Amino acid sequence: PLELIVKGKENQIQIQDILVGELFLCSGQSNMAMSLDACKRFGNPNAQSDAEHTTLPMVRIFQTPNSLFAAQPEKDVPGQWQSLSPDKNLTYSAIAFYFSRSMYNYLKVPIGIIRSSNAGGPIEAKMPLSALLSVPCGKNYYDEIIKASSPEMMKKQADEKLKKWEKEVRDVTAVGQVPPAKPTVRNPLYGAYPAADWNGVIAPVIKYTKTAILWYQGEHNVARAFDYRKLLPVLISSWRAESGDSNLPFIFVQLPAFASITMNDNWALIRESQLDVLRKTQHTGMVVTIDTGDRKNIHPPDKEIVADRLFKEAQHLIYNEQVSGCGPLFDSFSVAGKKMILKFTNINGSMKFLPGQAVKGFVVAGADRKFYAAQALIKGSTVEVFSADVPLPVAVRYAWAGFPEVSLYDAFDMPASPFRTDDW
């Protein structure tokens, strides 16, 4: 560690324990913020041991507050740099912990991680207001939020909450139960307000010279999945501009499996939006996590897998290694009789189906747009898909569901991204 001395005419400032190395900004929403302790509570069997047995003074983590929103961009934010040590590790972002540990073991240079990620919050809250307003769907979101948080709407929501509480009090009092506490009324859009997250916890740290940005977000935008493919590129370009580096690597997590009760198709759509951003935005990387996740828990505890794939994608995108955190990507298709021939890129050697298991996840449809379960065969860089129920196929989908079945991987056990050939 180094020491910095700044001398003035009448005094000097001495700063000790300074490291110079690679720095990564981790942002998004709750799954990026999720701590090792939370992973342990949700059932990760390794989180406690990993925290207790990791001491790396050459790795430093800075965590911004979990709930700090502002009306204008802030210049400073509370927090301090701390090293990976058993007495602190459980409170750190699990992804930042595992990623930084792997990156240090790989590079053997000081690693800095800034975790600026609040629980919840849509992408519209995490970019500069000027960037949000530059996109029509962003402007629409802004207008809707401003209307919904007007004094008139706030009073209406408060009155409705109060009436509901009064009824509950009458009901429980009639049967001799303890009445519930009177509800507090605050802006229900807290955290979703345009640019609020950017202003409070991202703007103060964005000027750091960074190696890359790591992003895990999208759950809050599932209901507006198509807008996401327009908003994420704008966020990336605005963050790069604020960082002073138009080519700054940006690596993001394609959302894992989750069985939504009401919006299963939207989970497939937002993954498609993320894939679309990867294809159209330079210097980006995407890690596929469709073979992970929890059917009922939107916060899966297996963050080491996600961090490992982020690390591998960083090795690939930044340090030109062959490994990747992203598996096969659908590229194009053709029709040959009863078969759909799918071509893939990013194969990383070869493709395979999970050994000892039936091929899963593929469905095929004809012109009637009715999908049927399909069989599939790998032929080099292509996959042939067919079904006896569809003699004249026109469309194929793979892993197109909230919590889909998956079976297609590359030689390094990285899963293929979900996709569809149609635009129905």
Side-chain angles (χ1 to χ4, degrees), residues 122 124 139-150 187 189 192-194:
E124 292 92 343
K139 177 66 165 57
N140 291 339
Y141 177 86
Y142 176 83
D143 292 341
E144 291 172 3
I145 294 296
I146 295 301
K147 180 180 178 181
S149 58
S150 67
N187 192 332
L189 303 172
Y193 207 80

Side-chain angles (χ1 to χ4, degrees), residues 204-267:
V205 298
I206 197 68
K207 297 295 185 184
Y208 265 95
T209 300
K210 298 173 288 297
T211 305
I213 294 171
L214 309 180
W215 175 259
Y216 188 164
Q217 194 274 338
E219 300 92 336
H220 208 108
N221 286 86
V222 168
R224 304 185 303 281
F226 272 110
D227 289 349
Y228 202 78
R229 66 191 66 190
K230 301 173 184 177
L231 292 168
L232 183 54
V234 173
L235 178 140
I236 293 172
S237 62
S238 66
W239 284 30
R240 284 172 170 171
E242 293 286 344
S243 300
D245 184 353
S246 60
N247 295 322
L248 182 65
F250 192 101
I251 305 172
F252 56 92
V253 178
Q254 188 185 54
L255 293 187
F258 175 66
S260 172
I261 298 174
T262 59
M263 293 188 292
N264 272 301
D265 285 346
N266 283 56
W267 282 83

Side-chain angles (χ1 to χ4, degrees), residues 229 233 273-284:
R229 66 191 66 190
S273 289
Q274 292 168 324
L275 178 59
D276 185 73
V277 172
L278 174 70
R279 287 169 168 161
K280 296 178 180 178
T281 311
Q282 292 186 331
H283 308 294
T284 59

Side-chain angles (χ1 to χ4, degrees), residues 320-389:
N320 300 312
E321 299 283 4
Q322 282 192 316
V323 297
S324 172
C326 180
L329 300 174
F330 167 72
D331 180 62
S332 60
F333 75 93
S334 60
V335 181
K338 298 181 179 181
K339 295 181 178 180
M340 294 277 288
I341 312 299
L342 311 178
K343 184 178 180 181
F344 289 81
T345 60
N346 204 60
I347 293 173
N348 299 322
S350 63
M351 293 188 291
K352 66 181 181 181
F353 294 124
L354 289 178
Q357 296 188 26
V359 176
K360 299 176 181 179
F362 289 92
V363 293
V364 63
D368 61 359
R369 300 189 177 189
K370 294 181 180 180
F371 283 94
Y372 296 86
Q375 297 175 277
L377 297 173
I378 296 173
K379 297 288 183 69
S381 62
T382 67
V383 176
E384 298 180 356
V385 181
F386 52 93
S387 171
D389 296 314

